[in-house]
Amino acid sequence: MARILTGITSNNIPHLGNVLGAMLPAIELSNKAENESLYFIADFHSLISLKDAEARKNSINAVAATWIALGFDTQKNILYRQSDVPQVTELTWYLNCFTPYPMLANAVSFKEKSDRLSDVNSGLFTYPVLMAADILMYDANFVPVGKDQLQHLEITRDIAERFNRQYGDTFVVPEAKIEESVMIVPGTDGQKMSKSYNNFINIFLPEKELEKVIKSIKTDSKGVEEPKDPDTCNVFNIYKLVADATQTDFLRTKYIEGGIGYGSAKLLLYSTLMLKFSKARETYNHLMANTQELDAILKQGAVKAAAIANPVLARVRHKLGYL
Ligand code: ADP
Ligand code: TRP
């Protein structure tokens, strides 16, 4: 059995890029009988940048509801809120004392963010140590992450190996699982879809609002009859990620031959999204209107997660002479 673990920071509502690039592939992994998956909502991490309590609660619910709506099986697997197993903060302290300062100071993500952000707090600096604790706390074997998180996984492995050398085998040394084939989902302006660029598509928006976002996708100004290049068109590039092969070939041919306008292509994308995510939208809306159901699922997840975390923490305490 392999234990798979990954977290999503709760500082926004998951968008189509998160869904196609990270969440659906992770769900596919979690459905394999030989895997046990722990997927969690990194709400301690969110405090680094998000200070508003209501926004945090809303994002925690949205991330949890998205996992469930997309089909994550919370009976077979474990879905939990990071802060519901606060033992992770104790482990973070221990790991802090095994993390060389320069390793954090040289982390690319810290350097890049500390140059850009006005609030450069110590949480931003020690963020990779909390992430290491998230992973090591649960004896995870594989951690599916985007390429930007690879260095944080190396830091985690480094801390675990350092500790194991000094105290004997204590932590499982995890491996990053990068899906090379994973698509980069373009946003409405053609750049990588990201909440930072405000070019994202929230697939859970009410119909009219979603339609408006789809209509805002940038295109050139070619007329209906003119032949168009599918490969440079943002509408087509998003469409091909959600439509099946036959639908994609059909639209590609239409573009090349001419005879379809961008307005119609956008409507096609809109209806394909609505169809593909109709069940997910229903479940998501139900859960967001009944957050006590979400709370119950998350609490149940936390009980299962704590049952894994507690013995690991006891192991560490023992090695360090605290028990
Ligand atoms: P954002 O760029 O909106 O802040 P995050 O950095 O929080 O998104 O990403 C969370 C997860 O979703 C990561 O695993 C990341 O690789 C994936 N992801 C984010 N945007 C995209 C995208 N446009 N295409 C594919 N995957 C994405
Ligand atoms: N840092 C990750 C991100 O921003 C989120 C995260 C926190 C995480 N803890 C984790 C991912 C542990 C994998 C494992 O995307």
Side-chain angles (χ1 to χ4, degrees):
M1 183 201 71
R3 188 170 285 158
I4 321 274
L5 176 143
T6 196
I8 292 195
T9 307
S10 50
N11 50 12
N12 67 324
I13 311 286
H15 54 65
L16 185 66
N18 305 136
V19 168
L20 297 179
M23 299 176 86
L24 285 175
I27 289 174
E28 213 177 299
L29 267 182
S30 75
N31 283 335
K32 297 203 170 122
E34 68 273 21
N35 292 337
E36 177 190 26
S37 295
L38 286 92
Y39 294 171
F40 71 96
I41 300 141
D43 59 345
F44 279 146
H45 278 101
S46 74
L47 186 57
I48 294 166
S49 57
L50 183 67
K51 305 298 199 254
D52 184 274
E54 274 316 305
R56 184 174 354 274
K57 274 191 200 159
N58 190 47
S59 170
I60 291 169
N61 288 337
V63 175
T66 305
W67 276 122
I68 298 166
L70 294 175
F72 185 58
D73 180 346
T74 59
Q75 292 304 315
K76 174 183 183 290
N77 301 293
I78 307 181
L79 178 69
Y80 63 104
R81 185 164 34 202
Q82 184 184 30
S83 63
D84 279 338
V85 192
Q87 292 90 320
V88 75
T89 58
E90 181 182 335
L91 182 60
T92 301
W93 175 251
Y94 300 147
L95 299 184
N96 259 315
C97 300
F98 290 85
T99 308
Y101 173 88
M103 194 156 83
L104 297 182
N106 291 328
V108 175
S109 138
F110 175 71
K111 283 204 225 162
E112 188 260 313
K113 286 190 176 148
S114 56
D115 281 347
R116 179 162 57 82
L117 300 176
S118 55
D119 176 14
V120 183
N121 57 61
S122 300
L124 181 68
F125 186 70
T126 56
Y127 154 132
V129 188
L130 176 57
M131 180 160 164
D134 286 330
I135 299 167
L136 300 179
M137 183 86 169
Y138 296 96
D139 287 342
N141 304 107
F142 296 103
V143 183
V145 280
K147 286 203 179 76
D148 58 319
Q149 296 294 320
L150 209 51
Q151 194 177 32
H152 296 149
L153 254 293
E154 275 156 21
I155 293 175
T156 304
R157 290 168 57 86
D158 190 304
I159 297 172
E161 282 166 352
R162 210 174 277 270
F163 194 101
N164 286 351
R165 263 199 306 277
Q166 201 165 341
Y167 295 93
D169 265 356
T170 309
F171 293 120
V172 171
V173 181
E175 273 175 47
K177 196 162 170 31
I178 305 271
E179 208 58 77
E180 287 302 336
S181 63
V182 154
M183 51 191 91
I184 296 289
V185 182
T188 52
D189 58 358
Q191 290 189 82
K192 177 189 171 200
M193 187 180 291
S194 169
K195 64 174 178 295
S196 333
Y197 305 147
N198 206 13
N199 62 353
F200 56 86
I201 298 172
N202 170 2
I203 54 166
F204 300 117
L205 282 177
E207 291 178 24
K208 283 284 158 225
E209 286 173 47
L210 180 57
E211 194 179 334
K212 217 170 121 196
V213 173
I214 301 296
K215 284 192 173 151
S216 77
I217 297 173
K218 291 209 179 88
T219 62
D220 59 33
S221 52
K222 288 205 171 80
V224 175
E225 296 308 328
E226 285 180 75
K228 302 174 181 65
D229 180 1
D231 297 314
T232 57
C233 173
N234 299 327
V235 182
F236 183 82
N237 283 332
I238 301 175
Y239 183 74
K240 70 179 185 200
L241 301 176
V242 289
D244 65 30
T246 318
Q247 291 172 312
T248 304
D249 285 347
F250 174 78
L251 189 59
R252 176 180 284 283
T253 309
K254 282 280 183 198
Y255 264 66
I256 294 169
E257 285 174 350
I260 185 166
Y262 290 121
S264 309
K266 286 175 179 178
L267 278 181
L268 209 54
L269 170 60
Y270 167 73
S271 53
T272 305
L273 279 173
M274 288 296 286
L275 201 65
K276 183 175 172 72
F277 293 110
S278 71
K279 196 159 157 278
R281 285 169 57 88
E282 214 176 284
T283 311
Y284 178 91
N285 286 328
H286 172 82
L287 291 169
M288 291 304 273
N290 297 276
T291 52
Q292 74 286 356
E293 289 182 27
L294 279 178
D295 286 337
I297 294 171
L298 291 175
K299 286 283 176 227
Q300 184 203 35
V303 170
K304 292 199 271 182
I308 299 174
N310 286 331
V312 178
L313 191 58
R315 209 153 77 203
V316 179
R317 283 181 183 157
H318 177 70
K319 297 266 171 137
L320 295 175
Y322 287 106
L323 208 72

